[in-house]
Amino acid sequence: MTDEAYDYGRLLVLQHVDWAGPGSLLETLDARANRRPWDLVDTPTRGVPDLTADVRGILVLGGPMSVHDDEPWLAPEKALLAEAVDAGVPVFGICLGTQLLAEATGGAVTRRDQPALGFADLSRTDEAHDDEIFAGWVDGSLGFFSHEWEVGTLPPGAVPMLTGHNGAVPAYRMADGLSYGVQFHAEITPDTLAGWMERERGQRMAAAVGRTPEDLVDEVRRRD
Protein backbone atom coordinates (compact mmCIF):
# COMPACT_ATOMS: atom_id res chain seq x y z
CA MET A 1 0.00 0.00 0.00
CA THR A 2 1.40 3.38 -0.96
CA ASP A 3 1.50 6.27 1.48
CA GLU A 4 -0.93 8.18 -0.76
CA ALA A 5 -3.50 5.39 -0.47
CA TYR A 6 -3.42 5.18 3.33
CA ASP A 7 -6.47 6.60 5.09
CA TYR A 8 -5.18 8.82 7.88
CA GLY A 9 -8.71 9.57 9.02
CA ARG A 10 -9.88 12.77 10.69
CA LEU A 11 -8.37 14.72 13.58
CA LEU A 12 -10.57 16.42 16.17
CA VAL A 13 -9.18 19.58 17.78
CA LEU A 14 -11.15 20.40 20.94
CA GLN A 15 -11.15 24.08 21.87
CA HIS A 16 -12.55 25.50 25.11
CA VAL A 17 -12.40 29.28 24.53
CA ASP A 18 -11.97 31.11 21.24
CA TRP A 19 -8.91 33.00 22.49
CA ALA A 20 -6.97 29.79 23.26
CA GLY A 21 -6.91 28.12 19.86
CA PRO A 22 -4.31 25.98 18.04
CA GLY A 23 -1.85 28.88 17.71
CA SER A 24 1.49 27.80 16.25
CA LEU A 25 0.10 24.31 15.53
CA LEU A 26 -2.11 25.70 12.76
CA GLU A 27 0.71 25.55 10.21
CA THR A 28 1.27 21.84 10.82
CA LEU A 29 -2.43 21.03 10.94
CA ASP A 30 -3.15 22.83 7.69
CA ALA A 31 -0.06 21.43 5.94
CA ARG A 32 -1.43 17.89 6.38
CA ALA A 33 -5.11 18.72 5.90
CA ASN A 34 -5.19 17.11 2.44
CA ARG A 35 -4.37 13.74 4.03
CA ARG A 36 -5.68 14.23 7.54
CA PRO A 37 -8.65 16.63 7.62
CA TRP A 38 -9.11 18.31 10.96
CA ASP A 39 -12.12 19.84 12.67
CA LEU A 40 -11.92 22.60 15.25
CA VAL A 41 -14.71 21.95 17.74
CA ASP A 42 -15.48 24.56 20.39
CA THR A 43 -17.01 22.15 22.87
CA PRO A 44 -18.71 24.74 25.16
CA THR A 45 -20.70 26.12 22.22
CA ARG A 46 -20.94 23.19 19.78
CA GLY A 47 -21.06 20.29 22.22
CA VAL A 48 -18.79 17.29 22.50
CA PRO A 49 -18.59 15.26 19.27
CA ASP A 50 -19.01 11.51 19.03
CA LEU A 51 -16.06 9.19 18.53
CA THR A 52 -16.95 8.09 15.02
CA ALA A 53 -14.97 5.52 13.07
CA ASP A 54 -13.21 8.14 10.94
CA VAL A 55 -11.68 9.89 13.98
CA ARG A 56 -8.03 8.77 14.22
CA GLY A 57 -6.77 11.32 16.72
CA ILE A 58 -7.84 14.01 19.20
CA LEU A 59 -5.92 17.16 20.12
CA VAL A 60 -7.22 18.81 23.31
CA LEU A 61 -6.34 22.47 23.83
CA GLY A 62 -6.15 24.61 26.96
CA GLY A 63 -8.50 27.04 28.67
CA PRO A 64 -8.94 29.05 31.87
CA MET A 65 -11.41 26.70 33.53
CA SER A 66 -10.68 23.82 35.93
CA VAL A 67 -11.51 20.18 35.32
CA HIS A 68 -13.51 20.40 38.56
CA ASP A 69 -15.85 23.16 37.35
CA ASP A 70 -19.53 22.45 36.74
CA GLU A 71 -19.49 23.35 33.04
CA PRO A 72 -22.01 21.05 31.33
CA TRP A 73 -19.57 19.98 28.59
CA LEU A 74 -16.77 18.87 30.93
CA ALA A 75 -18.14 15.44 31.87
CA PRO A 76 -19.00 14.50 28.25
CA GLU A 77 -15.55 15.61 27.10
CA LYS A 78 -13.84 13.48 29.75
CA ALA A 79 -16.02 10.56 28.68
CA LEU A 80 -14.98 11.09 25.06
CA LEU A 81 -11.27 11.04 26.00
CA ALA A 82 -11.69 7.90 28.09
CA GLU A 83 -13.50 6.24 25.19
CA ALA A 84 -10.77 7.28 22.77
CA VAL A 85 -7.98 5.85 24.93
CA ASP A 86 -9.91 2.60 25.37
CA ALA A 87 -10.42 2.40 21.59
CA GLY A 88 -6.75 3.01 20.79
CA VAL A 89 -7.34 6.47 19.32
CA PRO A 90 -4.35 8.70 20.18
CA VAL A 91 -5.05 11.75 22.33
CA PHE A 92 -2.66 14.68 22.81
CA GLY A 93 -3.60 17.08 25.60
CA ILE A 94 -2.18 20.56 26.20
CA CYS A 95 -2.50 22.31 29.60
CA LEU A 96 -6.22 21.95 30.43
CA GLY A 97 -6.21 19.18 27.82
CA THR A 98 -3.60 17.19 29.73
CA GLN A 99 -5.59 17.63 32.94
CA LEU A 100 -8.79 16.44 31.27
CA LEU A 101 -6.96 13.43 29.85
CA ALA A 102 -5.58 12.54 33.28
CA GLU A 103 -8.94 12.93 35.05
CA ALA A 104 -10.65 10.87 32.37
CA THR A 105 -8.28 7.93 32.81
CA GLY A 106 -7.81 7.62 36.55
CA GLY A 107 -5.41 10.44 37.41
CA ALA A 108 -6.05 13.44 39.64
CA VAL A 109 -5.70 17.20 39.18
CA THR A 110 -4.82 19.51 42.08
CA ARG A 111 -4.51 23.26 42.53
CA ARG A 112 -1.06 24.81 42.80
CA ASP A 113 -0.07 26.99 45.75
CA GLN A 114 0.60 29.80 43.28
CA PRO A 115 0.20 30.10 39.52
CA ALA A 116 2.87 28.95 37.10
CA LEU A 117 3.57 31.54 34.42
CA GLY A 118 6.69 31.74 32.28
CA PHE A 119 9.41 29.55 30.81
CA ALA A 120 11.10 26.55 32.44
CA ASP A 121 14.03 24.37 31.34
CA LEU A 122 12.82 20.85 30.61
CA SER A 123 14.84 17.67 30.21
CA ARG A 124 13.98 14.10 29.27
CA THR A 125 13.41 11.32 31.74
CA ASP A 126 15.18 7.99 31.21
CA GLU A 127 12.02 6.57 29.62
CA ALA A 128 11.82 9.46 27.17
CA HIS A 129 15.16 8.66 25.52
CA ASP A 130 13.54 5.81 23.60
CA ASP A 131 10.13 7.41 23.16
CA GLU A 132 8.85 7.93 19.62
CA ILE A 133 7.99 11.57 20.30
CA PHE A 134 10.26 12.77 23.10
CA ALA A 135 13.50 11.05 22.09
CA GLY A 136 14.23 14.11 19.95
CA TRP A 137 13.65 16.62 22.74
CA VAL A 138 16.82 18.64 23.35
CA ASP A 139 17.48 18.60 27.09
CA GLY A 140 17.28 22.10 28.53
CA SER A 141 14.78 23.30 25.94
CA LEU A 142 12.17 25.71 27.22
CA GLY A 143 8.47 25.18 27.73
CA PHE A 144 6.05 28.02 28.46
CA PHE A 145 3.66 27.44 31.36
CA SER A 146 0.46 29.26 32.26
CA HIS A 147 -1.73 27.37 34.72
CA GLU A 148 -3.16 27.26 38.21
CA TRP A 149 -4.03 23.56 38.26
CA GLU A 150 -1.88 20.57 37.30
CA VAL A 151 -1.83 16.78 37.23
CA GLY A 152 -0.98 15.76 40.78
CA THR A 153 -1.42 12.01 40.25
CA LEU A 154 -0.71 10.39 36.90
CA PRO A 155 -3.17 7.90 35.42
CA PRO A 156 -2.30 4.25 36.12
CA GLY A 157 0.64 3.16 33.99
CA ALA A 158 1.45 6.67 32.74
CA VAL A 159 5.15 7.53 32.53
CA PRO A 160 6.76 11.00 32.90
CA MET A 161 8.54 12.16 29.76
CA LEU A 162 10.06 15.44 30.99
CA THR A 163 11.23 16.93 34.26
CA GLY A 164 12.12 20.43 35.38
CA HIS A 165 8.88 22.10 36.48
CA ASN A 166 9.17 22.44 40.25
CA GLY A 167 8.53 18.78 40.96
CA ALA A 168 5.41 18.60 38.79
CA VAL A 169 5.19 16.45 35.65
CA PRO A 170 5.39 18.69 32.57
CA ALA A 171 4.77 15.82 30.12
CA TYR A 172 3.69 12.20 30.32
CA ARG A 173 2.93 9.21 28.11
CA MET A 174 -0.15 7.13 28.77
CA ALA A 175 0.08 3.40 29.44
CA ASP A 176 -1.22 2.67 25.93
CA GLY A 177 1.92 4.23 24.44
CA LEU A 178 -0.25 6.24 22.05
CA SER A 179 -1.60 9.17 24.08
CA TYR A 180 0.32 12.02 25.68
CA GLY A 181 -0.23 15.06 27.84
CA VAL A 182 1.92 18.19 28.17
CA GLN A 183 1.32 20.86 30.79
CA PHE A 184 3.28 23.51 28.90
CA HIS A 185 1.85 25.43 25.96
CA ALA A 186 3.35 23.88 22.84
CA GLU A 187 1.06 26.12 20.76
CA ILE A 188 2.06 29.49 22.26
CA THR A 189 2.74 32.49 20.00
CA PRO A 190 3.48 36.10 20.98
CA ASP A 191 0.08 37.21 19.72
CA THR A 192 -1.64 34.42 21.65
CA LEU A 193 0.02 35.43 24.89
CA ALA A 194 -0.67 39.13 24.28
CA GLY A 195 -4.36 38.25 24.09
CA TRP A 196 -4.18 36.27 27.32
CA MET A 197 -2.41 39.12 29.10
CA GLU A 198 -5.19 41.56 28.19
CA ARG A 199 -7.55 39.57 30.38
CA GLU A 200 -8.00 39.94 34.14
CA ARG A 201 -6.86 36.38 34.77
CA GLY A 202 -3.59 36.87 32.90
CA GLN A 203 -2.85 40.12 34.68
CA ARG A 204 -3.61 38.55 38.06
CA MET A 205 -1.34 35.58 37.35
CA ALA A 206 1.48 37.86 36.15
CA ALA A 207 1.27 39.90 39.35
CA ALA A 208 1.34 36.69 41.43
CA VAL A 209 4.70 35.66 39.93
CA GLY A 210 6.21 39.14 39.99
CA ARG A 211 6.11 39.78 36.24
CA THR A 212 4.36 42.31 34.06
CA PRO A 213 2.26 41.32 31.05
CA GLU A 214 4.47 43.43 28.79
CA ASP A 215 7.64 41.73 30.03
CA LEU A 216 6.20 38.26 29.47
CA VAL A 217 5.03 39.05 25.93
CA ASP A 218 8.40 40.59 25.09
CA GLU A 219 10.17 37.45 26.30
CA VAL A 220 7.96 35.21 24.19
CA ARG A 221 8.67 37.42 21.16
CA ARG A 222 12.42 37.13 21.77
CA ARG A 223 12.24 33.36 22.06
CA ASP A 224 9.66 32.76 19.31
Side-chain angles (χ1 to χ4, degrees), residues 15 17-27 61-64 94-95 117 119 144-146 184-203 205 213-214 216-221 224:
Q15 176 179 279
V17 286
D18 58 8
W19 47 267
S24 64
L25 303 180
L26 275 172
E27 183 176 354
L61 302 176
I94 296 175
C95 197
L117 183 63
F119 287 99
F144 185 85
F145 294 85
S146 175
F184 58 93
H185 284 279
E187 85 290 8
I188 194 71
T189 69
D191 289 342
T192 299
L193 182 62
W196 295 356
M197 290 295 104
E198 292 175 354
R199 300 175 182 276
E200 184 279 331
R201 178 175 181 267
Q203 295 169 9
M205 290 176 64
E214 295 78 14
L216 285 161
V217 173
D218 284 345
E219 183 177 7
V220 171
R221 291 193 189 282
D224 186 33

Short mmCIF file of all heavy atoms in Angstrom, two decimals, residues 15 17-27 61-64 94-95 117 119 144-146 184-203 205 213-214 216-221 224:
data_model
loop_
_atom_site.label_atom_id
_atom_site.label_comp_id
_atom_site.label_asym_id
_atom_site.label_seq_id
_atom_site.Cartn_x
_atom_site.Cartn_y
_atom_site.Cartn_z
N GLN A 15 -11.47 22.74 21.37
CA GLN A 15 -11.15 24.08 21.87
C GLN A 15 -12.16 24.44 22.96
O GLN A 15 -13.33 24.08 22.88
CB GLN A 15 -11.24 25.07 20.71
CG GLN A 15 -11.05 26.53 21.10
CD GLN A 15 -11.13 27.43 19.88
OE1 GLN A 15 -10.17 27.58 19.14
NE2 GLN A 15 -12.29 28.03 19.66
N VAL A 17 -12.09 27.85 24.66
CA VAL A 17 -12.40 29.28 24.53
C VAL A 17 -11.80 29.74 23.21
O VAL A 17 -10.75 29.24 22.78
CB VAL A 17 -11.82 30.13 25.69
CG1 VAL A 17 -12.61 29.94 26.97
CG2 VAL A 17 -10.35 29.83 25.93
N ASP A 18 -12.43 30.73 22.57
CA ASP A 18 -11.97 31.11 21.24
C ASP A 18 -10.65 31.85 21.25
O ASP A 18 -10.01 32.01 20.20
CB ASP A 18 -13.04 31.93 20.51
CG ASP A 18 -13.44 33.20 21.26
OD1 ASP A 18 -12.80 33.54 22.27
OD2 ASP A 18 -14.40 33.85 20.81
N TRP A 19 -10.19 32.30 22.43
CA TRP A 19 -8.91 33.00 22.49
C TRP A 19 -7.76 32.07 22.92
O TRP A 19 -6.64 32.54 23.16
CB TRP A 19 -8.99 34.20 23.43
CG TRP A 19 -9.66 33.97 24.75
CD1 TRP A 19 -10.96 34.15 25.07
CD2 TRP A 19 -9.03 33.51 25.97
NE1 TRP A 19 -11.20 33.83 26.39
CE2 TRP A 19 -10.04 33.45 26.95
CE3 TRP A 19 -7.72 33.17 26.31
CZ2 TRP A 19 -9.77 33.04 28.27
CZ3 TRP A 19 -7.45 32.78 27.60
CH2 TRP A 19 -8.46 32.71 28.58
N ALA A 20 -8.02 30.78 22.98
CA ALA A 20 -6.97 29.79 23.26
C ALA A 20 -7.07 28.68 22.22
O ALA A 20 -7.41 27.54 22.53
CB ALA A 20 -7.11 29.24 24.68
N GLY A 21 -6.80 29.05 20.97
CA GLY A 21 -6.91 28.12 19.86
C GLY A 21 -5.61 27.38 19.57
O GLY A 21 -4.69 27.36 20.39
N PRO A 22 -5.47 26.80 18.38
CA PRO A 22 -4.31 25.98 18.04
C PRO A 22 -3.00 26.75 17.91
O PRO A 22 -1.93 26.15 17.93
CB PRO A 22 -4.70 25.36 16.69
CG PRO A 22 -6.18 25.46 16.62
CD PRO A 22 -6.53 26.71 17.36
N GLY A 23 -3.06 28.07 17.73
CA GLY A 23 -1.85 28.88 17.71
C GLY A 23 -0.83 28.42 16.69
O GLY A 23 -1.13 28.26 15.51
N SER A 24 0.39 28.17 17.15
CA SER A 24 1.49 27.80 16.25
C SER A 24 1.29 26.43 15.60
O SER A 24 2.00 26.10 14.65
CB SER A 24 2.82 27.81 17.02
OG SER A 24 2.81 26.83 18.04
N LEU A 25 0.35 25.64 16.11
CA LEU A 25 0.10 24.31 15.53
C LEU A 25 -0.70 24.39 14.23
O LEU A 25 -0.78 23.41 13.50
CB LEU A 25 -0.63 23.43 16.53
CG LEU A 25 0.05 23.24 17.89
CD1 LEU A 25 -0.80 22.34 18.77
CD2 LEU A 25 1.44 22.65 17.71
N LEU A 26 -1.29 25.56 13.95
CA LEU A 26 -2.11 25.70 12.76
C LEU A 26 -1.33 25.36 11.49
O LEU A 26 -1.86 24.72 10.58
CB LEU A 26 -2.64 27.13 12.65
CG LEU A 26 -3.92 27.44 13.43
CD1 LEU A 26 -4.21 28.94 13.38
CD2 LEU A 26 -5.09 26.65 12.88
N GLU A 27 -0.09 25.79 11.42
CA GLU A 27 0.71 25.55 10.21
C GLU A 27 0.85 24.05 9.95
O GLU A 27 0.70 23.59 8.81
CB GLU A 27 2.09 26.19 10.35
CG GLU A 27 2.96 26.06 9.11
CD GLU A 27 4.28 26.78 9.24
OE1 GLU A 27 4.49 27.48 10.25
OE2 GLU A 27 5.12 26.62 8.33
N LEU A 61 -7.01 21.22 23.53
CA LEU A 61 -6.34 22.47 23.83
C LEU A 61 -6.59 22.92 25.27
O LEU A 61 -7.24 22.23 26.04
CB LEU A 61 -6.80 23.54 22.84
CG LEU A 61 -6.55 23.21 21.36
CD1 LEU A 61 -7.13 24.29 20.46
CD2 LEU A 61 -5.05 23.04 21.09
N GLY A 62 -6.06 24.10 25.60
CA GLY A 62 -6.15 24.61 26.96
C GLY A 62 -7.39 25.45 27.19
O GLY A 62 -8.32 25.48 26.39
N GLY A 63 -7.37 26.18 28.31
CA GLY A 63 -8.50 27.04 28.67
C GLY A 63 -8.37 27.47 30.12
O GLY A 63 -7.62 26.86 30.89
N PRO A 64 -9.09 28.51 30.52
CA PRO A 64 -8.94 29.05 31.87
C PRO A 64 -9.69 28.29 32.94
O PRO A 64 -9.49 28.52 34.13
CB PRO A 64 -9.54 30.46 31.72
CG PRO A 64 -10.60 30.29 30.67
CD PRO A 64 -10.04 29.28 29.70
N ILE A 94 -3.02 19.42 25.87
CA ILE A 94 -2.18 20.56 26.20
C ILE A 94 -2.82 21.33 27.35
O ILE A 94 -3.98 21.74 27.26
CB ILE A 94 -2.00 21.49 24.98
CG1 ILE A 94 -1.26 20.77 23.85
CG2 ILE A 94 -1.27 22.77 25.37
CD1 ILE A 94 -1.15 21.59 22.57
N CYS A 95 -2.08 21.54 28.43
CA CYS A 95 -2.50 22.31 29.60
C CYS A 95 -3.84 21.78 30.14
O CYS A 95 -3.87 20.68 30.70
CB CYS A 95 -2.56 23.80 29.29
SG CYS A 95 -2.59 24.81 30.80
N LEU A 117 3.64 30.67 35.59
CA LEU A 117 3.57 31.54 34.42
C LEU A 117 4.98 31.91 33.98
O LEU A 117 5.71 32.56 34.72
CB LEU A 117 2.76 32.81 34.75
CG LEU A 117 2.54 33.78 33.59
CD1 LEU A 117 1.71 33.13 32.48
CD2 LEU A 117 1.85 35.05 34.09
N PHE A 119 8.64 30.65 31.38
CA PHE A 119 9.41 29.55 30.81
C PHE A 119 10.10 28.72 31.89
O PHE A 119 10.44 29.22 32.96
CB PHE A 119 10.48 30.09 29.86
CG PHE A 119 9.94 30.61 28.56
CD1 PHE A 119 9.74 31.96 28.37
CD2 PHE A 119 9.64 29.74 27.52
CE1 PHE A 119 9.25 32.45 27.18
CE2 PHE A 119 9.14 30.21 26.32
CZ PHE A 119 8.95 31.57 26.14
N PHE A 144 6.74 26.88 27.85
CA PHE A 144 6.05 28.02 28.46
C PHE A 144 4.82 27.52 29.21
O PHE A 144 3.95 26.85 28.64
CB PHE A 144 5.63 29.04 27.40
CG PHE A 144 5.03 30.28 27.99
CD1 PHE A 144 5.84 31.31 28.42
CD2 PHE A 144 3.65 30.40 28.16
CE1 PHE A 144 5.29 32.45 29.00
CE2 PHE A 144 3.10 31.53 28.74
CZ PHE A 144 3.92 32.56 29.15
N PHE A 145 4.74 27.89 30.49
CA PHE A 145 3.66 27.44 31.36
C PHE A 145 2.74 28.59 31.73
O PHE A 145 3.18 29.72 31.96
CB PHE A 145 4.22 26.82 32.64
CG PHE A 145 5.00 25.55 32.41
CD1 PHE A 145 6.34 25.60 32.06
CD2 PHE A 145 4.38 24.32 32.53
CE1 PHE A 145 7.05 24.43 31.84
CE2 PHE A 145 5.08 23.15 32.31
CZ PHE A 145 6.42 23.20 31.97
N SER A 146 1.45 28.29 31.79
CA SER A 146 0.46 29.26 32.26
C SER A 146 -0.71 28.46 32.82
O SER A 146 -1.64 28.10 32.10
CB SER A 146 0.00 30.17 31.11
OG SER A 146 -1.04 31.02 31.54
N PHE A 184 2.83 22.24 29.49
CA PHE A 184 3.28 23.51 28.90
C PHE A 184 2.52 23.78 27.59
O PHE A 184 1.92 22.89 27.00
CB PHE A 184 4.79 23.50 28.67
CG PHE A 184 5.28 22.40 27.78
CD1 PHE A 184 5.43 22.59 26.41
CD2 PHE A 184 5.62 21.15 28.31
CE1 PHE A 184 5.89 21.57 25.59
CE2 PHE A 184 6.08 20.14 27.50
CZ PHE A 184 6.21 20.34 26.14
N HIS A 185 2.60 25.01 27.14
CA HIS A 185 1.85 25.43 25.96
C HIS A 185 2.71 25.29 24.70
O HIS A 185 3.39 26.24 24.29
CB HIS A 185 1.34 26.86 26.13
CG HIS A 185 0.17 26.96 27.05
ND1 HIS A 185 -1.12 26.70 26.64
CD2 HIS A 185 0.09 27.26 28.37
CE1 HIS A 185 -1.95 26.84 27.65
NE2 HIS A 185 -1.24 27.18 28.71
N ALA A 186 2.60 24.13 24.07
CA ALA A 186 3.35 23.88 22.84
C ALA A 186 2.86 24.77 21.70
O ALA A 186 3.56 24.92 20.70
CB ALA A 186 3.22 22.41 22.46
N GLU A 187 1.68 25.35 21.85
CA GLU A 187 1.06 26.12 20.76
C GLU A 187 1.25 27.63 20.91
O GLU A 187 0.77 28.41 20.09
CB GLU A 187 -0.44 25.80 20.71
CG GLU A 187 -1.33 26.60 21.64
CD GLU A 187 -1.20 26.29 23.13
OE1 GLU A 187 -0.28 25.53 23.51
OE2 GLU A 187 -2.00 26.82 23.91
N ILE A 188 2.00 28.08 21.92
CA ILE A 188 2.06 29.49 22.26
C ILE A 188 2.71 30.31 21.14
O ILE A 188 3.65 29.87 20.48
CB ILE A 188 2.84 29.71 23.58
CG1 ILE A 188 2.63 31.12 24.13
CG2 ILE A 188 4.32 29.43 23.40
CD1 ILE A 188 1.26 31.34 24.65
N THR A 189 2.15 31.49 20.88
CA THR A 189 2.74 32.49 20.00
C THR A 189 2.72 33.82 20.74
O THR A 189 1.95 34.00 21.70
CB THR A 189 1.97 32.65 18.68
OG1 THR A 189 0.69 33.26 18.95
CG2 THR A 189 1.76 31.30 17.98
N PRO A 190 3.53 34.79 20.31
CA PRO A 190 3.48 36.10 20.98
C PRO A 190 2.10 36.73 20.94
O PRO A 190 1.64 37.31 21.94
CB PRO A 190 4.50 36.92 20.19
CG PRO A 190 5.46 35.92 19.65
CD PRO A 190 4.63 34.71 19.33
N ASP A 191 1.42 36.62 19.82
CA ASP A 191 0.08 37.21 19.72
C ASP A 191 -0.91 36.50 20.63
O ASP A 191 -1.80 37.13 21.23
CB ASP A 191 -0.40 37.17 18.28
CG ASP A 191 0.35 38.14 17.38
OD1 ASP A 191 0.98 39.08 17.93
OD2 ASP A 191 0.32 37.97 16.15
N THR A 192 -0.77 35.17 20.74
CA THR A 192 -1.64 34.42 21.65
C THR A 192 -1.47 34.92 23.07
O THR A 192 -2.45 35.22 23.77
CB THR A 192 -1.32 32.92 21.58
OG1 THR A 192 -1.55 32.44 20.26
CG2 THR A 192 -2.20 32.14 22.55
N LEU A 193 -0.23 35.01 23.52
CA LEU A 193 0.02 35.43 24.89
C LEU A 193 -0.43 36.87 25.11
O LEU A 193 -0.97 37.19 26.18
CB LEU A 193 1.50 35.28 25.24
CG LEU A 193 1.85 35.65 26.69
CD1 LEU A 193 1.13 34.73 27.67
CD2 LEU A 193 3.35 35.61 26.92
N ALA A 194 -0.23 37.74 24.13
CA ALA A 194 -0.67 39.13 24.28
C ALA A 194 -2.17 39.17 24.54
O ALA A 194 -2.65 39.97 25.36
CB ALA A 194 -0.31 39.92 23.03
N GLY A 195 -2.92 38.32 23.86
CA GLY A 195 -4.36 38.25 24.09
C GLY A 195 -4.69 37.76 25.49
O GLY A 195 -5.62 38.28 26.14
N TRP A 196 -3.94 36.77 25.96
CA TRP A 196 -4.18 36.27 27.32
C TRP A 196 -3.91 37.36 28.35
O TRP A 196 -4.62 37.49 29.35
CB TRP A 196 -3.28 35.08 27.61
CG TRP A 196 -3.54 33.87 26.78
CD1 TRP A 196 -4.52 33.69 25.84
CD2 TRP A 196 -2.79 32.66 26.80
NE1 TRP A 196 -4.42 32.46 25.27
CE2 TRP A 196 -3.38 31.79 25.83
CE3 TRP A 196 -1.68 32.22 27.52
CZ2 TRP A 196 -2.88 30.51 25.59
CZ3 TRP A 196 -1.18 30.95 27.28
CH2 TRP A 196 -1.79 30.10 26.33
N MET A 197 -2.83 38.13 28.12
CA MET A 197 -2.41 39.12 29.10
C MET A 197 -3.32 40.35 29.13
O MET A 197 -3.23 41.17 30.04
CB MET A 197 -0.97 39.56 28.82
CG MET A 197 0.08 38.48 29.11
SD MET A 197 0.18 38.04 30.87
CE MET A 197 -0.68 36.46 30.87
N GLU A 198 -4.20 40.48 28.15
CA GLU A 198 -5.19 41.56 28.19
C GLU A 198 -6.35 41.24 29.13
O GLU A 198 -7.13 42.14 29.47
CB GLU A 198 -5.74 41.81 26.78
CG GLU A 198 -4.71 42.40 25.82
CD GLU A 198 -5.26 42.52 24.41
OE1 GLU A 198 -6.39 42.03 24.18
OE2 GLU A 198 -4.57 43.08 23.55
N ARG A 199 -6.44 40.00 29.55
CA ARG A 199 -7.55 39.57 30.38
C ARG A 199 -7.19 39.64 31.87
O ARG A 199 -6.03 39.53 32.26
CB ARG A 199 -7.96 38.14 30.00
CG ARG A 199 -8.40 38.07 28.55
CD ARG A 199 -8.71 36.67 28.08
NE ARG A 199 -9.07 36.72 26.67
CZ ARG A 199 -10.30 36.99 26.23
NH1 ARG A 199 -11.28 37.19 27.09
NH2 ARG A 199 -10.55 37.04 24.93
N GLU A 200 -8.22 39.79 32.69
CA GLU A 200 -8.00 39.94 34.14
C GLU A 200 -7.22 38.77 34.70
O GLU A 200 -6.34 38.95 35.54
CB GLU A 200 -9.35 40.10 34.83
CG GLU A 200 -9.25 40.37 36.33
CD GLU A 200 -9.02 39.10 37.17
OE1 GLU A 200 -9.47 38.03 36.72
OE2 GLU A 200 -8.40 39.20 38.24
N ARG A 201 -7.53 37.57 34.25
CA ARG A 201 -6.86 36.38 34.77
C ARG A 201 -5.36 36.43 34.48
O ARG A 201 -4.53 36.14 35.35
CB ARG A 201 -7.46 35.12 34.18
CG ARG A 201 -6.78 33.82 34.63
CD ARG A 201 -7.53 32.61 34.07
NE ARG A 201 -6.94 31.35 34.50
CZ ARG A 201 -6.03 30.68 33.80
NH1 ARG A 201 -5.59 31.16 32.63
NH2 ARG A 201 -5.56 29.53 34.25
N GLY A 202 -5.00 36.80 33.25
CA GLY A 202 -3.59 36.87 32.90
C GLY A 202 -2.86 37.92 33.70
O GLY A 202 -1.73 37.70 34.17
N GLN A 203 -3.48 39.06 33.91
CA GLN A 203 -2.85 40.12 34.68
C GLN A 203 -2.69 39.71 36.14
O GLN A 203 -1.67 40.00 36.77
CB GLN A 203 -3.68 41.40 34.55
CG GLN A 203 -3.69 41.95 33.13
CD GLN A 203 -4.72 43.05 32.92
OE1 GLN A 203 -5.32 43.55 33.88
NE2 GLN A 203 -4.94 43.43 31.67
N MET A 205 -2.39 36.59 37.26
CA MET A 205 -1.34 35.58 37.35
C MET A 205 0.05 36.21 37.21
O MET A 205 1.00 35.81 37.91
CB MET A 205 -1.55 34.52 36.27
CG MET A 205 -2.76 33.63 36.52
SD MET A 205 -3.08 32.46 35.17
CE MET A 205 -1.60 31.44 35.24
N PRO A 213 2.69 41.88 32.32
CA PRO A 213 2.26 41.32 31.05
C PRO A 213 3.16 41.71 29.89
O PRO A 213 3.48 40.89 29.03
CB PRO A 213 0.85 41.90 30.88
CG PRO A 213 0.36 42.11 32.27
CD PRO A 213 1.58 42.56 33.03
N GLU A 214 3.62 42.95 29.88
CA GLU A 214 4.47 43.43 28.79
C GLU A 214 5.80 42.69 28.77
O GLU A 214 6.30 42.31 27.69
CB GLU A 214 4.72 44.93 28.94
CG GLU A 214 3.48 45.80 28.80
CD GLU A 214 2.60 45.81 30.04
OE1 GLU A 214 3.07 45.35 31.10
OE2 GLU A 214 1.44 46.26 29.95
N LEU A 216 6.42 39.64 29.90
CA LEU A 216 6.20 38.26 29.47
C LEU A 216 6.02 38.17 27.95
O LEU A 216 6.61 37.30 27.30
CB LEU A 216 4.97 37.69 30.17
CG LEU A 216 5.17 37.31 31.64
CD1 LEU A 216 3.82 37.21 32.34
CD2 LEU A 216 5.92 36.00 31.76
N VAL A 217 5.24 39.07 27.38
CA VAL A 217 5.03 39.05 25.93
C VAL A 217 6.33 39.34 25.21
O VAL A 217 6.65 38.69 24.19
CB VAL A 217 3.94 40.06 25.53
CG1 VAL A 217 3.83 40.16 24.01
CG2 VAL A 217 2.59 39.66 26.13
N ASP A 218 7.12 40.28 25.71
CA ASP A 218 8.40 40.59 25.09
C ASP A 218 9.31 39.37 25.11
O ASP A 218 10.04 39.10 24.13
CB ASP A 218 9.08 41.76 25.81
CG ASP A 218 8.45 43.09 25.47
OD1 ASP A 218 7.69 43.16 24.49
OD2 ASP A 218 8.71 44.07 26.20
N GLU A 219 9.31 38.63 26.22
CA GLU A 219 10.17 37.45 26.30
C GLU A 219 9.74 36.38 25.30
O GLU A 219 10.58 35.74 24.65
CB GLU A 219 10.14 36.86 27.72
CG GLU A 219 11.09 35.68 27.87
CD GLU A 219 11.14 35.11 29.27
OE1 GLU A 219 10.35 35.55 30.13
OE2 GLU A 219 11.99 34.23 29.50
N VAL A 220 8.43 36.18 25.16
CA VAL A 220 7.96 35.21 24.19
C VAL A 220 8.34 35.64 22.77
O VAL A 220 8.73 34.82 21.93
CB VAL A 220 6.44 34.99 24.31
CG1 VAL A 220 5.91 34.14 23.17
CG2 VAL A 220 6.13 34.32 25.65
N ARG A 221 8.27 36.93 22.48
CA ARG A 221 8.67 37.42 21.16
C ARG A 221 10.15 37.16 20.92
O ARG A 221 10.56 36.77 19.81
CB ARG A 221 8.37 38.91 21.02
CG ARG A 221 6.89 39.24 20.98
CD ARG A 221 6.65 40.67 20.51
NE ARG A 221 5.24 41.04 20.68
CZ ARG A 221 4.28 40.66 19.87
NH1 ARG A 221 4.54 39.91 18.81
NH2 ARG A 221 3.02 41.06 20.11
N ASP A 224 10.57 33.37 20.27
CA ASP A 224 9.66 32.76 19.31
C ASP A 224 10.43 32.02 18.20
O ASP A 224 11.29 32.61 17.57
CB ASP A 224 8.75 33.82 18.70
CG ASP A 224 7.68 33.20 17.81
OD1 ASP A 224 7.24 32.09 18.11
OD2 ASP A 224 7.30 33.86 16.83
#
